[in-house]
Amino acid sequence: MSNPHASGTAVYEGTQDIIGATDFGLTLEEVLGGAPIPPEGARIDVHVEGPLKGGLLNGSITATDYLYGRPDGRMCLYIRGVVTTDDGARISFLADGVATPQAEGPNMDLRENVTLFTSDTRYTWVNGLQIWGSGVVDNVNGKIEIKTWVA
């Protein structure tokens, strides 16, 4: 493996499916349909899963984004989950970031700050990585596309 700590090294990319949501008074469907977010904001727990491929990690992720929607349309992301590698290791996933509405259409631009942790000796090298991610939330098809790299 090349130096996994080298800045710019691809870590993973993937397309995750939005598989469900838990709302607290304003549903994900209402928000995606253009319903105004009230002055106090909106909390929605968005559940996702899907493959991670390429770069340094290959496997799948199951996660929940404890999303906070602001009245200006910006979504604050607080994501917790588990990466399961193709060879069975489990890696704790922690990310925060933002999703902002694109100027045209229903999609959102996504920016994430990711950290990973495991005690599985095959993957402890992930513990020191600072990872940035960039992608798109496809609100029409319920998918999240992301590419990540070492900061």
Side-chain angles (χ1 to χ4, degrees):
M1 172 188 314
S2 62
N3 179 4
H5 296 278
S7 183
T9 301
V11 181
Y12 60 82
E13 60 184 74
T15 301
Q16 286 80 52
D17 294 312
I18 297 172
I19 59 170
T22 303
D23 71 83
F24 301 92
L26 189 62
T27 69
L28 183 61
E29 292 78 14
E30 290 170 327
V31 170
L32 298 180
I37 296 177
E40 63 274 7
R43 266 290 319 281
I44 304 169
D45 295 349
V46 181
H47 314 292
V48 302
E49 66 181 17
L52 302 177
K53 299 292 178 196
L56 301 174
L57 283 177
N58 291 287
S60 62
I61 186 168
T62 301
T64 298
D65 182 353
Y66 301 94
L67 181 76
Y68 172 72
R70 296 184 350 185
D72 65 1
R74 182 175 173 138
M75 301 294 170
C76 301
L77 313 176
Y78 306 97
I79 309 164
R80 308 295 180 266
V82 176
V83 172
T84 303
T85 64
D86 286 346
D87 56 358
R90 283 188 304 280
I91 301 171
S92 173
F93 178 94
L94 173 65
D96 61 8
V98 296
T100 54
Q102 293 180 345
E104 299 291 326
N107 294 340
M108 303 185 86
D109 291 320
L110 177 65
R111 301 294 181 265
E112 290 183 0
N113 173 31
V114 179
T115 55
L116 303 171
F117 176 83
T118 188
S119 293
D120 187 312
T121 56
R122 297 171 294 172
Y123 289 93
T124 54
W125 55 266
V126 304
N127 296 344
L129 298 180
Q130 181 59 55
I131 302 166
W132 288 344
S134 178
V136 174
V137 180
D138 178 343
N139 288 324
V140 173
N141 297 305
K143 298 197 179 284
I144 299 167
E145 297 178 17
I146 190 155
K147 292 183 180 182
T148 64
W149 62 93
V150 176

